[in-house]
Amino acid sequence: MEAKTVTLVQESFEKVKPIAPQAAEIFYSKLFELDPQLKPLFPSGEEAMKSQGNKLMTMLAAAVAGLSNIEALIPVLEGLGKRHVEYKVEPSHYNTVGAALLGTLEAGLGDDFTPEVKTAWADVYGTMADVMIKASY
């Protein structure tokens, strides 16, 4: 992964951190809009989804920080992928999650979501999803 790609993702994520709860809410709204059949895979209720959103943003923050040491991040992603099989996540769901993530970043970053930033995030997410899928299926 190119250093510039990592820098773009890490710098843009710093701008998302202050709006993390809203970003999580946007993410799940987009995810369920893209594929309503995914909703039963998640807890029901407002508080449970807030907790799920916190988990998402914490995991995303750790993964983005971990891009600086990709060798250490890979086993973490492999374990995460394996756990998601237990949650009934299928390989095709990763595409939907990627689309929801990019849509969330576009909404959250506004004008700062440049084509270069979008490409960087798409590359990083694609790499992470690939690692998780290969470890799990």
Side-chain angles (χ1 to χ4, degrees):
M1 196 171 306
E2 291 185 23
K4 184 176 182 179
T5 298
V6 171
T7 299
L8 283 168
V9 168
Q10 289 177 334
E11 287 177 355
S12 60
F13 190 71
E14 285 300 314
K15 297 173 186 173
V16 174
K17 283 182 179 179
I19 60 161
Q22 296 91 335
E25 193 174 307
I26 292 167
F27 173 82
Y28 287 111
S29 175
K30 288 188 178 296
L31 183 68
F32 301 147
E33 179 183 312
L34 290 168
D35 188 350
Q37 293 180 353
L38 293 177
K39 199 163 189 165
L41 301 182
F42 293 89
S44 61
E46 189 176 331
E47 288 305 311
M49 282 308 295
K50 280 185 184 178
S51 176
Q52 181 67 34
N54 288 338
K55 290 177 188 176
L56 168 73
M57 296 309 293
T58 299
M59 182 279 306
L60 196 52
V64 168
L67 292 173
S68 298
N69 184 1
I70 197 79
E71 293 78 23
L73 181 59
I74 287 173
V76 174
L77 292 172
E78 290 172 338
L80 187 62
K82 290 174 185 173
R83 282 195 306 281
H84 277 74
V85 172
E86 297 170 17
Y87 306 142
K88 298 184 175 44
V89 172
E90 298 173 11
S92 63
H93 294 155
Y94 284 86
N95 292 331
T96 310
V97 168
L101 175 62
L102 292 177
T104 300
L105 292 164
E106 182 176 18
L109 293 171
D111 291 341
D112 289 332
F113 193 66
T114 64
E116 191 176 37
V117 169
K118 180 179 182 177
T119 298
W121 272 97
D123 289 349
V124 165
Y125 177 77
T127 299
M128 289 181 172
D130 191 50
V131 168
M132 292 171 71
I133 290 167
K134 284 182 179 174
S136 306
Y137 301 97

